[in-house]
Amino acid sequence: TLSSSSAASDVYKRQVLYNDDINTFDHVINCLIRICQHDLIQAEQCAWLVHSKGKCQVKSGKLSDLRKRLSALTQNGLSAQIE
């Protein structure tokens, strides 16, 4: 059987990126490409949605994977959460 912590890390969640008045479009796009493995078009679209709507889901997947990406996004100065 799976341990409860192992089962919890297999739960699928969403990673949401939030708008801020600090980071440039280029920085956000580069982070999405490098950290979330977006292609250029997807990264540009997400950056625009974050700017215009205030937030955008940038990734979904296992909680354990999203935690690593969340750490990398926040270390790069981006505002993100797992929901």
Side-chain angles (χ1 to χ4, degrees):
T1 63
L2 292 175
S3 69
S4 60
S5 63
S6 175
S9 67
D10 288 341
V11 172
Y12 278 78
K13 296 283 190 172
R14 310 177 316 132
Q15 190 144 50
V16 179
L17 183 66
Y18 292 91
N19 192 31
D20 63 44
D21 293 327
I22 300 165
N23 293 294
T24 65
F25 274 94
D26 285 341
H27 179 66
V28 173
I29 290 165
N30 288 331
C31 286
L32 290 173
I33 291 169
R34 186 169 32 86
I35 298 166
C36 296
Q37 283 77 49
H38 287 195
D39 63 30
L40 178 61
I41 292 172
Q42 183 181 15
E44 288 174 342
Q45 290 172 339
C46 285
W48 182 251
L49 284 170
V50 168
H51 176 72
S52 61
K53 303 280 187 182
K55 66 180 184 176
C56 177
Q57 178 180 326
V58 294
K59 202 76 176 169
S60 62
K62 290 183 180 180
L63 184 57
S64 56
D65 180 48
L66 295 182
R67 282 185 179 141
K68 294 172 192 169
R69 293 178 198 278
L70 176 64
S71 177
L73 290 169
T74 57
Q75 286 175 2
N76 280 275
L78 302 181
S79 178
Q81 280 188 331
I82 297 171
E83 298 180 348

